[in-house]
Amino acid sequence: MNILISNGRVVDPARRTDAVQNVYVAGGKIVALGTAPDGFVAERTLDAGGLVVAPGFIDLAARLREPGFEYRATLESEMEAAMAGGVTSLAIPPDTDPALDEPGLVEMLTYRAKKLNRAHIYPVGALTLGLKGERLSEMAELVEAGCVAFSQANVPIVDNGVLMRAMQYAATFGFRVWLQPLAPFLARGGNAHDGEVATRLGLAGMPVAAETVALYTYLELAKITGARLHITRLSSAAGLELIERARAEGMDVTCDVSINHVHLCDMDIGYFDSNCHLIPPLRSQRDREALCRGLADGRIDALCSDHTPVDDDGKQTPFAESEPGATGLELLLPLTLKWAERAGLPLLDGLARITSDAAKIIGITKAGHLSPGARADVCVFDPAAHVTIAHDTLKSQGKNTPFLGMELPGKVRYTLVEGQVMYEG
């Protein structure tokens, strides 16, 4: 279908464009901006007057809970959530059941996602078999099956010798390694930031050292092996300082932070709010402010939702016994807008963290921008409209979020995937 998106404020961070102009879509691609191409006849017109037209958002961490955890969420429910949130590309962590350590599992997941005809998925393969940290996965075969990188999700490798061999293998073929910095013995048993709040509430603390010790190890091994390293879901000021130091020494390392950690700190746990039980834990206010500054000035490369739907039974328990995680696909845009406004950033720079900058980390070239010839993955949203986050408004099967009841800016009006209107709100 030929689609004209008319009179919208086109905000494309990749091309540094912020201007009112028409967008022309045909054959699943963007064919022109501003002036209609010769012979173009619109079969449908979307009036974007007063709205923002942006590239479809790219989420670097979205658990769709299949295979293995369908009681928490299904591929269908989370794809609908992605469409409602304007998220058109998703990187999928490997901590499914079984883990994404076999080509057949990856192919099955990508096939099912393609049949649903919603968001594009980019599986991140398991670095070791079963995420057990003992034997390396068949990375080359997993890449052929569709994996874009390799990770241990939230399961750290205890044996650094195994991790070094994994990095060496990945470096040999240029595969990306995405690691969550958690030192296994320092993180073990912790469920809140090791600080005054955890002490007052009687919760087991997880020190910042659990992040920095692991991060120092990862950076040293990446330096030795030449692995392409991406640090996922950074949580502390000290961790950011280590990454800055590594870059000053010439290392090519990227990192991201979750929407939860730029808006919340350990004080938000309040009276044992299990929706604030996350991995990594919410850190101190100082850490949160450092992460916000790092994201604003580009030291942190991208923002992710860390979407982790949990069923009610998993959250309606004492804080320490609850399942960690928060739903986030539908909150990625509102919380990005709120962060950018608080940081005093123009919309162009705020959206970069969930479009063009995120695309570079995955290695996507045909999405994350609105250039002629690009895949027509587009989000049209109203930045002035506010939405109240509530159980009955969330499309995700997981209703677990610390932001329930809050009014946030940004309402998605249309989501297009390869030139097809997949959501209208």
Side-chain angles (χ1 to χ4, degrees), residues 88-138:
T88 57
S89 296
L90 310 166
I92 312 300
D95 50 350
T96 51
D97 186 19
L100 295 181
D101 61 359
E102 294 183 3
L105 290 171
V106 175
E107 290 167 352
M108 177 191 71
L109 183 61
T110 53
Y111 174 78
R112 286 208 58 216
K114 191 171 183 180
K115 289 284 285 184
L116 289 174
N117 197 29
R118 293 292 187 270
H120 305 280
I121 70 166
Y122 296 89
V124 178
L127 194 61
T128 61
L129 292 178
L131 299 176
K132 294 179 179 179
E134 298 171 355
R135 291 190 296 154
L136 306 189
S137 62
E138 295 291 343

Side-chain angles (χ1 to χ4, degrees), residues 9 11 16 18 339-341 343-352:
R9 177 188 172 187
V11 179
R16 304 304 297 173
D18 186 346
W339 157 75
E341 180 183 11
L345 288 181
L347 186 60
L348 196 67
D349 294 330
L351 291 182

Side-chain angles (χ1 to χ4, degrees), residues 297-310:
D297 62 27
R299 287 173 293 157
I300 296 177
D301 300 273
L303 192 57
C304 72
S305 75
D306 196 18
H307 179 67
T308 310
V310 176

Side-chain angles (χ1 to χ4, degrees), residues 23-44:
V23 178
Y24 300 88
V25 174
K29 296 182 178 180
I30 293 170
V31 292
L33 293 97
T35 304
D38 293 341
F40 183 91
V41 178
E43 298 171 73
R44 183 177 180 185

Side-chain angles (χ1 to χ4, degrees), residues 64-79:
L64 305 184
R65 292 310 201 187
E66 287 196 36
F69 299 104
E70 289 82 358
Y71 64 93
R72 292 175 179 166
T74 64
L75 207 58
E76 289 85 352
S77 68
E78 304 320 290
M79 284 295 195

Side-chain angles (χ1 to χ4, degrees), residues 189-195 197-206 269 272 319-320:
N191 46 58
H193 171 62
D194 188 13
V197 174
T199 300
R200 175 166 49 83
L201 298 179
L203 297 173
M206 185 186 298
I269 293 174
F272 303 98
F319 186 95

Side-chain angles (χ1 to χ4, degrees), residues 122-193:
Y122 296 89
V124 178
L127 194 61
T128 61
L129 292 178
L131 299 176
K132 294 179 179 179
E134 298 171 355
R135 291 190 296 154
L136 306 189
S137 62
E138 295 291 343
M139 295 185 210
E141 294 181 7
L142 288 169
V143 167
E144 290 180 4
C147 288
V148 297
F150 295 92
S151 169
Q152 282 291 112
N154 293 334
V155 187
I157 293 177
V158 175
D159 188 337
N160 286 331
V162 173
L163 179 57
M164 184 171 180
R165 289 196 297 275
M167 285 191 178
Q168 287 173 330
Y169 186 90
T172 300
F173 295 96
F175 302 152
R176 298 176 178 87
V177 178
W178 294 15
L179 293 176
Q180 167 70 57
L182 287 173
F185 297 113
L186 290 171
R188 184 171 58 186
N191 46 58
H193 171 62

